[in-house]
Amino acid sequence: MENSNNNDHNHYSNSDNDPKAPLLPLQEPTQTSENSYNSNIKIIFTVKNLLILLGPLLCMIVCLCVQFEGPKTSRDMLAVLVWIFWWWLTEAIPMPITSMAPLFLFPIFGIASADDVAKTYMNDVVALVLGSFILALAVEHYDIHKRLALNITLMFCGDPLNPPLLLLGICGTTAFVSMWMHNTAAAVIMMPVATGILHRFPASSGRSDPVSNFSKAVVLGVIYSAGIGGMSTLTGTGVNLILVGMWKSYFPDAEQIGFATWSFFGVPLALSIFIAMWGILCLFYCTKASGSALSEYLDKTLLKRELEALGPMCFAEKMVLSVFSVLIALWMTRSLTDDIPGWGDLFQGRVGDGTVSVMMATLLFIIPSKKGKGEKLMDWNKCKKLPWNIVLLLGAGFAIADGVRRSGLAQILSSYLDFLENIPYLAVAPAVCLISGFITEFTSNNATTTLVVPLLIQVAETMDMHPLTLMIPGAIGAQFAFLLPTSTPSNIVGFSTGRIDIKDMIKVGIPLKIIGIGAMTILMPTLGEFMDIHFYIPEKKRTNFSFL
């Protein structure tokens, strides 16, 4: 090796001294043509390249082998779905790039025009996401999330240390944060806070000691709380936004689902599942010996010192919190009831939740931070972390939903769910939730919702049921991704800490999924009926449904 390095060095030195030497050193062929050919073969025929090629091949197989009685576009739409979902599932191509595939596949296969597909990638729901993400970045930039977490941890720590109470504080903080930003963002923000608490404990001596068990409870609690908290509001998860977008797309004349409307249903549902999750974690991982074993390592004095290190709240933090508070108030009051109209009526329904979200996010670029001359609360450099992959995924979801409807594929596939017609009405919601909850373990929540909800709309029409009776369980079930690390990015965030195993997720996830389906079963015919989600549609072709 040394001789080789010396020769190379001499070669470059001689070349530098010789003015007639070429600028780039000549490389002597070190491989035979046969070796070069074999090397090229290995470069081309990689596993990833084969996975990429399988996408269009599967699409071609569907086009050649599948025949529907409906229009040709329904078969083509199925072929395109197989292509896109294969790339999504295998991540042969980065998910954001795959999410843009409908922009060229739909026009090529005659499913929709280029303009029609492009319009689905930017609507009020996507605007809602963009504004929310910018506000979430502001919260993260000014460490507001850390201040909130430390305060709540101090509040719930107990004296002496009460592990179940501390776990409740950490999980409750995560759920609250997840109500106002995407699940993944909430998990990414809260996981360092949670692991920062766990780092105070010594290395565990075994996989079942109190320290290890409490660490598992905290990590599982954060990732599950991020998902559960996201169920309660429209901005908490992309699934809820996809549901609202599809409702608006399929039933444009119907009363739209507003922020307050969804929260009225989602908060009780999320709260019931959250309490069950906390109870399960305490039962499995917080033993009576946990308090005495952990109390000597978690000192309130240290927590107070960290909180004091953040200093008093500055003007910028107060303004970000104020903007966030005003945004939440505007979301909640845009549409109230028929008797008490919200402020949205002043604009004859032209203003949506996305309008408010972007408007308040814009204020962050106008209000000064008082940290430097001319400096605002936010600038575009701080927004470089915007998760465009999620924005594109949302757009792809809306595009696919529109393509499934346009092509007639939704009507054809819904016929395969006709077994739901023979199920008692009270069992329809849990059956739909179970189907959606099973699919979501193997693909993303958004992809599951995009695939299942259009089919459920067709099934509801066939069964003369209110579409939301099936759409809501389908969308909520897609969020019950509790069993596998790959089910949702939030799970990956927790799994990457190395403190939990797949068996831990399955151990907690199975009872949590069952309880979630049970909560949905109870709330749909009770709270859902109170919200005027009727089981029957008076007229089969009625489109002006009322959600409130």
Side-chain angles (χ1 to χ4, degrees), residues 124-134 238 241 354 357 386 390-391 394:
D124 185 64
V125 176
V126 177
L128 173 64
V129 172
L130 282 174
S132 300
F133 277 146
I134 291 174
L241 296 170
S357 181
L386 276 172
I390 295 175
V391 175
L394 278 174

Side-chain angles (χ1 to χ4, degrees), residues 6-28:
N6 290 336
N7 291 338
D8 290 342
H9 176 72
N10 293 336
H11 172 75
Y12 288 116
S13 300
N14 294 335
S15 298
D16 292 338
N17 295 331
D18 187 358
K20 295 183 179 180
L23 293 176
L24 295 177
L26 298 176
Q27 297 287 337
E28 302 224 353

Side-chain angles (χ1 to χ4, degrees), residues 168-187:
L168 178 64
I170 296 171
C171 294
T173 304
T174 306
F176 179 79
V177 170
S178 182
M179 291 173 66
W180 317 111
M181 61 182 66
H182 195 272
N183 297 353
T184 306

Side-chain angles (χ1 to χ4, degrees), residues 32-44:
T32 63
S33 59
E34 183 178 351
N35 290 337
S36 177
Y37 176 78
N38 291 336
S39 177
N40 290 334
I41 290 295
K42 290 179 180 179
I43 293 174
I44 295 173

Side-chain angles (χ1 to χ4, degrees), residues 401-421:
D402 185 64
V404 168
R405 184 189 60 182
R406 285 173 178 264
S407 65
L409 179 62
Q411 191 169 0
I412 292 174
L413 293 181
S414 65
S415 62
Y416 293 99
L417 296 177
D418 56 0
F419 70 91
L420 292 172
E421 298 181 19

Side-chain angles (χ1 to χ4, degrees), residues 16 23 40 142 178 236 245 305 367 375 414 467 488 491 521 542:
D16 292 338
L23 293 176
N40 290 334
Y142 291 105
S178 182
R305 194 178 305 156
I367 300 173
E375 185 178 341
S414 65
T488 174
N491 291 359
T521 304
R542 174 186 171 194

